Amino acid sequence: MSTPTFFQALKKSFTDVPIDNSKDNGIAIPTTDFLEATESLCSLFDVMGSVAFTPVKNDMLGNVKKIRDRQLTSPAESSTLQSLVIDELKTKKHTATEGLLWLTRGLDFTAQALRHNLSHPTEELSVSFRHAYGNTLKPHHSFLIKPIFSAAMSATPYRKDFYAKLDDDPVQGKREMEKWLGALEERVTILKGFLGSKAAKW
Protein backbone atom coordinates (compact mmCIF):
# COMPACT_ATOMS: atom_id res chain seq x y z
CA MET A 1 0.00 0.00 0.00
CA SER A 2 1.44 3.37 -1.01
CA THR A 3 2.07 6.10 1.53
CA PRO A 4 -0.55 8.88 1.28
CA THR A 5 0.61 12.20 -0.11
CA PHE A 6 0.76 15.26 2.14
CA PHE A 7 -2.58 16.43 0.76
CA GLN A 8 -4.23 13.01 1.08
CA ALA A 9 -3.16 12.86 4.74
CA LEU A 10 -4.64 16.24 5.72
CA LYS A 11 -7.17 16.05 8.53
CA LYS A 12 -9.49 18.28 6.47
CA SER A 13 -8.95 19.33 2.86
CA PHE A 14 -10.53 22.30 1.13
CA THR A 15 -11.96 19.73 -1.30
CA ASP A 16 -14.08 18.56 1.67
CA VAL A 17 -15.45 22.05 2.44
CA PRO A 18 -18.89 22.28 0.83
CA ILE A 19 -20.25 25.34 -0.95
CA ASP A 20 -23.92 26.04 -0.31
CA ASN A 21 -25.69 27.82 -3.16
CA SER A 22 -29.14 27.64 -1.55
CA LYS A 23 -28.79 30.53 0.90
CA ASP A 24 -30.91 33.66 0.46
CA ASN A 25 -27.86 35.91 0.86
CA GLY A 26 -25.84 34.13 -1.83
CA ILE A 27 -23.15 31.45 -1.74
CA ALA A 28 -22.21 30.27 1.76
CA ILE A 29 -19.29 28.32 3.23
CA PRO A 30 -19.72 26.24 6.43
CA THR A 31 -17.70 27.78 9.27
CA THR A 32 -16.50 24.62 11.03
CA ASP A 33 -15.36 22.83 7.85
CA PHE A 34 -13.55 25.91 6.60
CA LEU A 35 -11.69 26.55 9.87
CA GLU A 36 -10.62 22.90 10.10
CA ALA A 37 -9.32 22.96 6.52
CA THR A 38 -7.42 26.17 7.27
CA GLU A 39 -5.82 24.61 10.36
CA SER A 40 -4.77 21.64 8.22
CA LEU A 41 -3.31 24.03 5.62
CA CYS A 42 -1.09 25.57 8.30
CA SER A 43 0.84 22.29 8.51
CA LEU A 44 2.14 23.19 5.03
CA PHE A 45 4.26 25.86 6.69
CA ASP A 46 5.86 23.11 8.81
CA VAL A 47 6.87 21.41 5.55
CA MET A 48 8.71 24.63 4.69
CA GLY A 49 11.03 23.61 7.53
CA SER A 50 11.97 27.05 8.82
CA VAL A 51 11.07 28.96 11.99
CA ALA A 52 10.82 32.03 9.76
CA PHE A 53 7.35 30.78 8.76
CA THR A 54 6.17 30.60 12.38
CA PRO A 55 4.82 34.20 12.40
CA VAL A 56 2.93 33.52 9.15
CA LYS A 57 1.39 30.36 10.60
CA ASN A 58 0.60 32.00 13.95
CA ASP A 59 -1.06 34.95 12.21
CA MET A 60 -3.40 32.64 10.31
CA LEU A 61 -4.19 30.54 13.38
CA GLY A 62 -4.82 33.71 15.40
CA ASN A 63 -7.45 34.75 12.87
CA VAL A 64 -8.98 31.26 12.97
CA LYS A 65 -9.34 31.70 16.74
CA LYS A 66 -11.14 35.05 16.35
CA ILE A 67 -13.67 33.46 14.00
CA ARG A 68 -14.12 30.36 16.17
CA ASP A 69 -14.59 32.47 19.32
CA ARG A 70 -17.46 34.28 17.58
CA GLN A 71 -18.88 30.95 16.41
CA LEU A 72 -18.88 29.66 20.00
CA THR A 73 -20.57 32.85 21.22
CA SER A 74 -23.39 32.67 18.68
CA PRO A 75 -23.46 29.12 17.24
CA ALA A 76 -26.96 29.29 15.77
CA GLU A 77 -26.08 32.39 13.73
CA SER A 78 -22.61 31.18 12.74
CA SER A 79 -23.18 28.00 10.75
CA THR A 80 -21.63 29.68 7.69
CA LEU A 81 -18.90 32.30 7.48
CA GLN A 82 -21.28 34.65 5.73
CA SER A 83 -24.00 34.40 8.39
CA LEU A 84 -21.38 34.76 11.15
CA VAL A 85 -20.16 38.05 9.66
CA ILE A 86 -23.65 39.46 9.09
CA ASP A 87 -24.70 38.54 12.63
CA GLU A 88 -21.55 39.99 14.23
CA LEU A 89 -21.84 43.28 12.35
CA LYS A 90 -25.40 43.70 13.70
CA THR A 91 -23.83 43.92 17.17
CA LYS A 92 -21.56 46.79 16.03
CA LYS A 93 -18.50 44.56 16.51
CA HIS A 94 -16.14 43.31 13.82
CA THR A 95 -13.41 41.23 15.52
CA ALA A 96 -14.26 37.99 13.70
CA THR A 97 -15.11 39.80 10.46
CA GLU A 98 -11.72 41.50 10.46
CA GLY A 99 -10.14 38.15 11.34
CA LEU A 100 -11.83 36.57 8.31
CA LEU A 101 -10.61 39.42 6.10
CA TRP A 102 -7.00 38.88 7.17
CA LEU A 103 -7.35 35.11 7.02
CA THR A 104 -8.68 35.34 3.45
CA ARG A 105 -5.71 37.53 2.51
CA GLY A 106 -3.34 34.96 4.03
CA LEU A 107 -5.02 32.10 2.19
CA ASP A 108 -4.98 34.10 -1.04
CA PHE A 109 -1.24 34.70 -0.54
CA THR A 110 -0.63 30.97 -0.06
CA ALA A 111 -2.83 29.99 -3.02
CA GLN A 112 -1.24 32.52 -5.38
CA ALA A 113 2.28 31.46 -4.37
CA LEU A 114 1.62 27.77 -4.99
CA ARG A 115 -0.30 28.43 -8.22
CA HIS A 116 2.54 30.59 -9.54
CA ASN A 117 5.05 27.89 -8.66
CA LEU A 118 3.03 25.15 -10.36
CA SER A 119 2.65 27.34 -13.45
CA HIS A 120 6.40 28.03 -13.62
CA PRO A 121 8.10 24.61 -13.40
CA THR A 122 11.64 25.96 -13.02
CA GLU A 123 10.90 28.74 -10.56
CA GLU A 124 12.11 28.51 -6.96
CA LEU A 125 9.55 28.88 -4.16
CA SER A 126 11.14 32.07 -2.85
CA VAL A 127 10.37 33.83 -6.16
CA SER A 128 6.78 32.54 -6.24
CA PHE A 129 6.10 33.52 -2.62
CA ARG A 130 7.58 37.01 -3.10
CA HIS A 131 5.42 37.49 -6.19
CA ALA A 132 2.31 36.42 -4.27
CA TYR A 133 3.18 38.55 -1.25
CA GLY A 134 3.39 41.66 -3.41
CA ASN A 135 -0.07 40.91 -4.85
CA THR A 136 -1.85 40.10 -1.59
CA LEU A 137 -0.54 40.91 1.88
CA LYS A 138 2.22 43.46 1.27
CA PRO A 139 -0.08 46.42 0.43
CA HIS A 140 -1.84 45.92 3.79
CA HIS A 141 1.24 45.37 5.99
CA SER A 142 3.02 48.02 8.02
CA PHE A 143 6.76 48.66 7.72
CA LEU A 144 7.19 46.68 10.96
CA ILE A 145 5.49 43.55 9.61
CA LYS A 146 6.97 43.53 6.10
CA PRO A 147 10.50 42.43 7.19
CA ILE A 148 9.03 39.46 9.12
CA PHE A 149 7.25 38.18 6.04
CA SER A 150 10.24 39.03 3.84
CA ALA A 151 12.39 36.79 6.04
CA ALA A 152 9.90 33.96 5.52
CA MET A 153 10.08 34.39 1.73
CA SER A 154 13.86 34.04 1.89
CA ALA A 155 13.62 30.91 4.06
CA THR A 156 11.57 28.78 1.65
CA PRO A 157 13.17 25.42 0.79
CA TYR A 158 14.50 24.57 -2.63
CA ARG A 159 11.77 23.62 -5.05
CA LYS A 160 12.92 20.00 -5.47
CA ASP A 161 13.14 19.49 -1.68
CA PHE A 162 9.68 20.96 -1.09
CA TYR A 163 7.92 18.74 -3.63
CA ALA A 164 9.85 15.68 -2.41
CA LYS A 165 8.42 16.29 1.09
CA LEU A 166 4.88 16.38 -0.30
CA ASP A 167 5.19 13.01 -2.01
CA ASP A 168 7.82 10.45 -3.04
CA ASP A 169 6.24 10.57 -6.50
CA PRO A 170 6.44 14.23 -7.66
CA VAL A 171 3.85 13.69 -10.41
CA GLN A 172 1.29 12.33 -7.95
CA GLY A 173 2.17 15.01 -5.39
CA LYS A 174 1.55 17.81 -7.88
CA ARG A 175 -1.68 16.19 -9.03
CA GLU A 176 -2.95 16.09 -5.43
CA MET A 177 -1.82 19.69 -4.87
CA GLU A 178 -3.68 20.77 -8.00
CA LYS A 179 -6.98 19.34 -6.68
CA TRP A 180 -6.51 20.87 -3.22
CA LEU A 181 -5.33 24.20 -4.61
CA GLY A 182 -8.26 24.48 -7.02
CA ALA A 183 -10.67 23.99 -4.12
CA LEU A 184 -8.82 26.57 -2.00
CA GLU A 185 -8.85 29.11 -4.83
CA GLU A 186 -12.59 28.65 -5.40
CA ARG A 187 -13.39 29.29 -1.72
CA VAL A 188 -11.01 32.25 -1.49
CA THR A 189 -12.68 33.82 -4.54
CA ILE A 190 -16.11 33.43 -2.91
CA LEU A 191 -14.89 35.00 0.34
CA LYS A 192 -13.14 37.89 -1.42
CA GLY A 193 -16.38 38.67 -3.24
CA PHE A 194 -18.39 38.55 -0.02
CA LEU A 195 -15.89 40.57 2.04
CA GLY A 196 -15.83 43.22 -0.69
CA SER A 197 -19.61 43.54 -0.60
CA LYS A 198 -21.74 46.01 1.34
CA ALA A 199 -22.97 43.21 3.63
CA ALA A 200 -19.48 42.73 5.11
CA LYS A 201 -18.56 46.38 5.71
CA TRP A 202 -18.18 47.87 9.16
Side-chain angles (χ1 to χ4, degrees):
M1 187 175 174
S2 61
T3 305
T5 68
F6 170 83
F7 294 103
Q8 289 172 342
L10 289 174
K11 181 181 175 184
K12 174 77 77 172
S13 170
F14 282 99
T15 58
D16 302 321
V17 178
I19 295 171
D20 188 347
N21 293 291
S22 66
K23 300 296 182 187
D24 293 337
N25 56 351
I27 303 169
I29 297 172
T31 303
T32 299
D33 291 322
F34 182 83
L35 295 182
E36 288 177 354
T38 300
E39 287 170 327
S40 292
L41 174 149
C42 285
S43 62
L44 188 69
F45 296 119
D46 298 330
V47 176
M48 297 292 182
S50 171
V51 294
F53 271 94
T54 301
V56 181
K57 178 180 175 180
N58 289 346
D59 183 66
M60 291 179 79
L61 291 175
N63 288 315
V64 166
K65 184 179 185 304
K66 289 176 185 177
I67 299 163
R68 186 169 280 133
D69 285 349
R70 178 65 197 176
Q71 182 188 23
L72 293 172
T73 301
S74 301
E77 294 77 25
S78 304
S79 61
T80 70
L81 294 168
Q82 287 80 354
S83 61
L84 181 151
V85 166
I86 291 167
D87 182 66
E88 184 189 46
L89 293 178
K90 286 177 185 172
T91 68
K92 306 299 181 186
K93 295 177 182 175
H94 55 80
T95 303
T97 303
E98 192 170 2
L100 180 60
L101 176 64
W102 279 103
L103 182 59
T104 301
R105 287 170 178 167
L107 293 171
D108 193 23
F109 155 68
T110 308
Q112 286 198 32
L114 295 175
R115 175 60 66 196
H116 200 266
N117 199 254
L118 282 176
S119 301
H120 297 79
T122 61
E123 188 171 279
E124 287 297 338
L125 285 175
S126 57
V127 177
S128 299
F129 272 85
R130 280 199 190 92
H131 180 269
Y133 182 61
N135 285 344
T136 55
L137 290 168
K138 190 175 182 180
H140 307 287
H141 277 169
S142 69
F143 69 94
L144 293 172
I145 300 296
K146 285 175 184 174
I148 296 171
F149 275 73
S150 181
M153 306 306 110
S154 302
T156 52
Y158 287 115
R159 179 190 181 95
K160 62 178 176 58
D161 297 335
F162 173 68
Y163 286 104
K165 287 180 181 179
L166 297 181
D167 192 277
D168 294 336
D169 177 352
V171 175
Q172 179 176 307
K174 286 176 185 173
R175 189 166 59 240
E176 290 295 332
M177 182 195 275
E178 187 74 52
K179 276 174 21 186
W180 174 87
L181 184 56
L184 170 59
E185 289 169 330
E186 184 180 10
R187 283 143 189 81
V188 165
T189 298
I190 290 168
L191 287 173
K192 284 169 69 176
F194 171 69
L195 291 165
S197 71
K198 190 176 178 182
K201 291 289 176 278
W202 67 85

